[in-house]
Amino acid sequence: MPGLFIALEGGEGAGKSTQAQRLKARLEGVGRNVTITYEPGGTAFGQELWSIISERELEPLTELFLFATARAQHVVKVIKPALERGDVVISDRYVHSSLAYQGYGRGLPLNHVRAVNHVATQGIMPQAVFLLDVPVNIGLVRKGRAENDRIGSESQAFHTRVHDGYLVLAAEERDSFLVVDGTLPAEEVTRLLWKYLTPLLRVD
Ligand code: TMP
């Protein structure tokens, strides 16, 4: 059975990890093996990098490269092997996080963000990107300001650029994006994601 790669995207407090778990349960219910993973901490090395990224004052370009470095390791150690086993891989954040945060949020040129990520991922991109769309103020309250790291505690204007950037990316990449209202009840969000996912699971 061929592997299937799904990325969950969204701003702070969008409910991505909840949906990852709910989709996993459904997928296992239809007999699929599932690998849930996340960025930037999906490998031990990625976790080490995250402790630097989240605490140190970094230049935007340095931040871009550190996320891409974590991603390169993640692809080789986790994502590629799982896809080769035929798993459904659900990654909580992937390349579109860098486009939204480092591109739209920090203002780095999108073609630079794309180029760096193309190298880091060896061109491996998700077949489906689920964008859980939640208004910025609701997301930040949900996540809890107190727990926020350096990026999470950026200004409302930064998070608004990220939010709006995600919607532009979704409009540009209609074929692989599904935007779901993340303020809906969790069961309803799962139902919408599942409806989109089922045709992709069919093996012809
Ligand atoms: P979270 O996924 O637990 O919210 O934490 C990851 C934080 O890192 C979040 O603020 C988004 C940010 N981030 C980027 O800025 N670029 C990236 O490429 C990734 C994966 C995450």
Side-chain angles (χ1 to χ4, degrees):
M1 204 174 281
L4 177 67
F5 184 14
I6 300 162
L8 281 170
E9 293 285 355
E12 314 295 311
K16 294 180 279 82
S17 46
T18 306
Q19 290 304 321
Q21 293 300 336
R22 295 180 64 89
L23 286 178
K24 181 178 197 279
R26 286 233 184 172
L27 285 160
E28 287 177 345
V30 297
R32 293 300 300 251
N33 289 325
V34 180
T35 293
I36 290 193
T37 187
Y38 65 103
E39 291 204 347
T43 63
F45 176 66
Q47 283 170 25
E48 287 180 48
L49 283 183
W50 175 239
S51 67
I52 297 172
I53 299 169
S54 59
E55 284 163 24
R56 299 277 289 272
E57 282 307 319
L58 299 171
E59 289 302 312
L61 198 53
T62 313
E63 194 178 272
L64 170 70
F65 275 106
L66 288 181
F67 278 117
T69 304
R71 188 161 296 133
Q73 188 81 356
H74 190 215
V75 167
V76 173
K77 295 289 182 194
V78 180
I79 295 176
K80 224 173 157 192
L83 291 173
E84 282 165 3
R85 284 196 302 270
D87 285 11
V88 178
V89 175
I90 304 175
S91 185
D92 181 340
R93 299 197 181 281
Y94 194 59
V95 170
H96 292 91
S97 283
S98 286
L99 288 163
Y101 283 80
Q102 281 65 56
Y104 287 97
R106 299 283 188 225
L108 290 174
L110 289 182
N111 60 337
H112 291 184
V113 180
R114 284 205 172 90
V116 166
N117 275 283
H118 186 68
V119 177
T121 60
Q122 304 175 45
I124 296 176
M125 289 298 278
Q127 281 116 307
V129 182
F130 294 154
L131 175 58
L132 304 185
D133 186 34
V134 170
V136 172
N137 50 351
I138 296 181
L140 290 175
V141 170
R142 270 196 193 174
K143 187 167 174 184
R145 276 261 177 203
E147 287 172 34
N148 270 342
D149 50 79
R150 186 176 59 85
I151 299 177
S153 53
E154 279 290 344
S155 65
Q156 179 110 357
F158 172 88
H159 289 290
T160 302
R161 288 197 298 279
V162 171
H163 173 268
D164 296 354
Y166 267 128
L167 292 177
V168 174
L169 294 167
E172 284 172 356
E173 300 177 38
R174 262 177 224 288
D175 289 349
S176 52
F177 258 85
L178 175 69
V179 184
V180 172
D181 178 353
T183 65
L184 292 170
E187 312 80 64
E188 180 60 7
V189 174
T190 312
R191 194 186 67 76
L192 293 166
L193 300 182
W194 187 248
K195 196 170 144 209
Y196 184 94
L197 202 52
T198 12
L200 300 181
L201 293 171
R202 289 207 186 102
V203 201
D204 297 318

